[in-house]
Amino acid sequence: MEMESWTSPYPRISKFVGVLLNTSSGGTTAFNPQIKVPIEGRNSPSAIAIEAIDVDGHDDLVLTDAPAGAMSELLNTRPATFLPAVTFDVGQTAIGKNVALAVTDLNEDGRPDFAMGNLPVRGISVQIRIID
């Protein structure tokens, strides 16, 4: 039996995250043009969260990359300006691929931690943030 192949018209690789700053006022909805934040070396971002990761008061970006089994942090240095991504291997073989992401302080130490939902295995993985 011969199988047909199908190629998605949508690219699987993204080299940036789009940020739209809200400029709404007086009951109208409006956004500035998209700011493209580069994520060099990433394969396919699968989830994103926004949180002040380095607890400096600026919201940072956290991305998971399901195919690579990785997570990246992009620290915000001033409004909508981010440092290059710092990437961590979070694995994917035993528990599946990271497709959902939540950020909160799970161990109540004042620093954000990460919980990732995984497929195809139904489960979660947790990354506790440890900083000296």
Side-chain angles (χ1 to χ4, degrees):
M1 172 182 264
E2 236 177 72
M3 300 288 289
E4 287 187 47
S5 64
W6 180 78
T7 304
S8 170
Y10 306 103
R12 293 185 56 145
I13 298 173
S14 177
K15 295 295 182 188
F16 69 90
V17 172
V19 175
L20 301 170
L21 299 178
N22 190 338
T23 59
S24 300
S25 66
T28 62
T29 303
F31 295 90
N32 279 341
Q34 177 178 253
I35 298 168
K36 292 183 178 182
V37 179
I39 48 172
E40 293 304 319
R42 304 313 310 137
N43 182 2
S44 187
S46 51
I48 187 169
I50 301 170
E51 180 73 32
I53 298 303
D54 55 358
V55 293
D56 65 355
H58 299 290
D59 285 334
D60 306 306
L61 302 177
V62 181
L63 310 169
T64 60
D65 182 349
M71 179 183 74
S72 297
E73 296 178 358
L74 292 94
L75 300 180
N76 188 350
T77 58
R78 58 182 190 269
T81 302
F82 298 87
L83 295 175
V86 175
T87 302
F88 305 92
D89 180 24
V90 293
Q92 67 180 16
T93 54
I95 198 163
K97 296 181 178 183
N98 305 314
V99 295
L101 174 65
V103 180
T104 191
D105 184 5
L106 294 169
N107 58 353
E108 299 180 356
D109 65 355
R111 296 181 299 248
D113 304 305
F114 311 106
M116 290 160 276
N118 303 286
L119 286 175
V121 177
R122 285 179 272 181
I124 60 170
S125 55
V126 175
Q127 301 290 317
I128 301 295
R129 187 171 181 83
I130 301 172
I131 301 175
D132 293 330

